[in-house]
Amino acid sequence: MRKIEKNKVTEFKLGELFCGPGGIALGATTAKIEDSKYKITHAWANDYDLDTCNTYKHNIAPDNADSVICCDVHKLDIPKLAPIDALAFGFPCNDFSIVGEQKGFDGIFGGLYKYGVKALKTFQPMWFLAENVGGLRSANEGSALKNILNDLRDSGYKVYPHLYKFEQYGVPQARHRVIIIGIRNDLPYEFRPPSPAPYENMDNTCKTAIECPPIDPNALNNELTKQSKTVTERLKHIKPGQNAFTADLPEELRLNVKGAKISQIYKRLDPSKPAYTVTGSGGGGTHMYHYEEPRALTNRERARLQTFPDNYEFKGLKESVRKQIGMAVPVNGVKIIFEAILKTFAGIEYDSIDFNVKE
């Protein structure tokens, strides 16, 4: 356990589980607070997907590829990893998402947060950040979040859960995530969610994100998606903000779908608003569609909605890249939270709000 004694710790070495392509890592390592030495640096990371790990290595740890361990977390030897001062884990959200069966703890992925708990008990870092979908609040009739928070507390931490609506923080995308900050019990700090007020006048429309500045046609990960003539014709009849079920489509272009009609199927972006949530998987009609041109977005356009810089190169084939971008955490959104953590430890006041997640 690393303690804050006379020589105050100002560089937090970060370990990551379920690291994804590096959205959290980039937000962490670029987080800065004015006139301060406080910063976060990469220590090690783990994910099971090879392309994802290669993306992370290339962008976050190009000089330390061995620090990114590509394996199933069940086989990860956590006690043998290097000591850390902070931990981040965006534990898989599949079983907590309201889009789907929401199996919670009964699903394949529901219990994976326990590997974060194991890392906390092993290393006792000074603080942690855990991330999941908004549906976590209602999974297992509300008991999932309560159980997770209790396990995190039992690991030796004060916990601070909050539902962040990233579009309120200048991110050009409506993305809502429960983020839990934990601070070790023996440390004299209390975390507060940063206020969205400083960002309320930002132009965070999807049009601005995609067009300003224009994307170089030769930009990384900017290949066009091939789509059929029928899809192109269908999109021409769908107005910005509409989907395949709200648009006035000719009979031959309508979808023969019974039961639930998912609102994002062939939904075109509204250029005057933030984008709807970028997702990582799904078949026809789920690729996100341009507000002006009758086509799906490119991966680079999707990456801009997730606030990745254009020089951030995603490794793998186009569908793999699509999945990585959709599973990531918006860089600029999580950066604001990391900066609030740094200010907390530095003793710097910042605008904050009340917690909105109730147990």
Side-chain angles (χ1 to χ4, degrees):
M1 180 189 296
R2 190 173 178 186
K3 294 184 178 180
I4 296 182
E5 302 287 359
K6 292 179 181 178
N7 296 321
K8 217 172 190 182
V9 174
T10 58
E11 178 182 332
F12 300 102
K13 295 178 181 179
L14 179 70
E16 273 193 89
L17 298 176
F18 319 109
C19 65
I24 287 178
L26 188 60
T29 55
T30 57
K32 296 178 182 178
I33 51 178
E34 206 169 321
D35 300 323
S36 174
K37 295 181 180 179
Y38 283 80
K39 63 180 179 179
I40 304 166
T41 56
H42 163 77
W44 50 258
N46 164 253
D47 203 284
Y48 76 100
D49 181 75
L50 181 59
D51 287 343
T52 297
C53 290
N54 286 338
T55 295
Y56 192 105
K57 290 176 184 179
H58 179 73
N59 295 279
I60 304 298
D63 300 321
N64 190 13
D66 290 343
S67 67
V68 184
I69 305 101
C70 191
C71 72
D72 188 315
V73 72
H74 297 90
K75 300 177 181 179
L76 182 66
D77 194 346
I78 290 176
K80 288 189 177 180
L81 297 172
I84 52 175
D85 306 303
L87 176 72
F89 56 109
F91 52 106
C93 62
N94 312 54
D95 291 323
F96 298 118
S97 176
I98 58 174
V99 180
E101 298 180 61
Q102 202 177 24
K103 294 180 179 179
F105 288 144
D106 298 324
I108 297 172
F109 305 100
L112 292 180
Y113 79 93
K114 291 183 179 179
Y115 287 91
V117 171
K118 182 177 180 180
L120 291 175
K121 290 181 177 180
T122 300
F123 298 111
Q124 285 288 283
M126 285 179 262
W127 55 267
F128 71 81
L129 180 149
E131 177 265 349
N132 207 272
V133 292
L136 177 62
R137 296 171 298 162
S138 57
N140 295 106
E141 299 180 342
S143 66
L145 177 60
K146 184 176 181 179
N147 289 341
I148 290 170
L149 294 177
N150 285 338
D151 285 348
L152 294 171
R153 289 190 181 103
D154 290 344
S155 302
Y157 292 83
K158 299 168 284 187
V159 295
Y160 307 93
H162 188 73
L163 178 70
Y164 291 86
K165 297 181 178 182
F166 282 119
E167 68 272 22
Q168 296 179 351
Y169 291 85
V171 173
Q173 177 194 174
R175 196 177 189 93
H176 302 168
R177 293 294 184 266
V178 170
I179 291 183
I180 307 164
I181 302 302
I183 296 179
R184 210 171 62 207
N185 284 334
D186 64 312
L187 300 177
Y189 306 105
E190 298 290 338
F191 179 80
R192 297 276 297 173
S195 170
Y199 312 95
E200 61 186 5
N201 293 321
M202 286 183 65
D203 181 356
N204 66 333
T205 65
C206 58
K207 178 181 173 70
T208 296
I210 290 172
E211 294 186 10
C212 299
I215 297 174
D216 187 316
N218 298 316
L220 301 167
N221 309 118
N222 200 40
E223 309 92 335
L224 288 171
T225 295
K226 294 180 181 179
Q227 49 203 22
S228 69
K229 183 179 179 181
T230 300
V231 169
T232 300
E233 287 303 310
R234 181 179 294 125
L235 289 170
K236 288 178 180 178
H237 286 83
I238 299 174
K239 296 177 181 178
Q242 292 183 338
N243 62 41
F245 306 111
T246 59
D248 184 15
L249 293 175
E251 187 172 350
E252 66 272 16
L253 296 176
R254 293 174 189 168
L255 298 179
N256 185 20
V257 176
K258 296 180 179 180
K261 296 180 179 179
I262 301 173
S263 65
Q264 293 189 8
I265 297 295
Y266 292 111
K267 184 172 182 178
R268 298 187 71 170
L269 297 175
D270 183 334
S272 66
K273 298 178 180 179
Y276 54 90
T277 305
V278 178
T279 57
S281 60
T286 64
H287 286 69
M288 302 193 82
Y289 296 88
H290 201 276
Y291 42 83
E292 190 172 287
E293 302 172 23
R295 62 171 178 83
L297 296 188
T298 68
N299 278 326
R300 180 50 53 192
E301 289 168 334
R302 290 158 52 84
R304 279 202 173 184
L305 299 178
Q306 287 278 53
T307 62
F308 282 95
D310 286 357
N311 63 355
Y312 202 93
E313 183 177 2
F314 295 86
K315 298 295 187 177
L317 298 178
K318 186 150 61 73
E319 277 303 305
S320 172
V321 170
R322 178 193 170 206
K323 179 180 178 181
Q324 293 175 54
I325 293 170
M327 297 298 286
V329 179
V331 177
N332 292 357
V334 76
K335 178 181 176 182
I336 291 168
I337 301 169
F338 280 121
E339 288 176 344
I341 294 172
L342 293 179
K343 289 174 182 177
T344 298
F345 276 79
I348 297 172
E349 292 291 327
Y350 60 92
D351 291 339
S352 62
I353 55 176
D354 292 333
F355 294 95
N356 60 15
V357 171
K358 308 297 180 183
E359 295 182 56

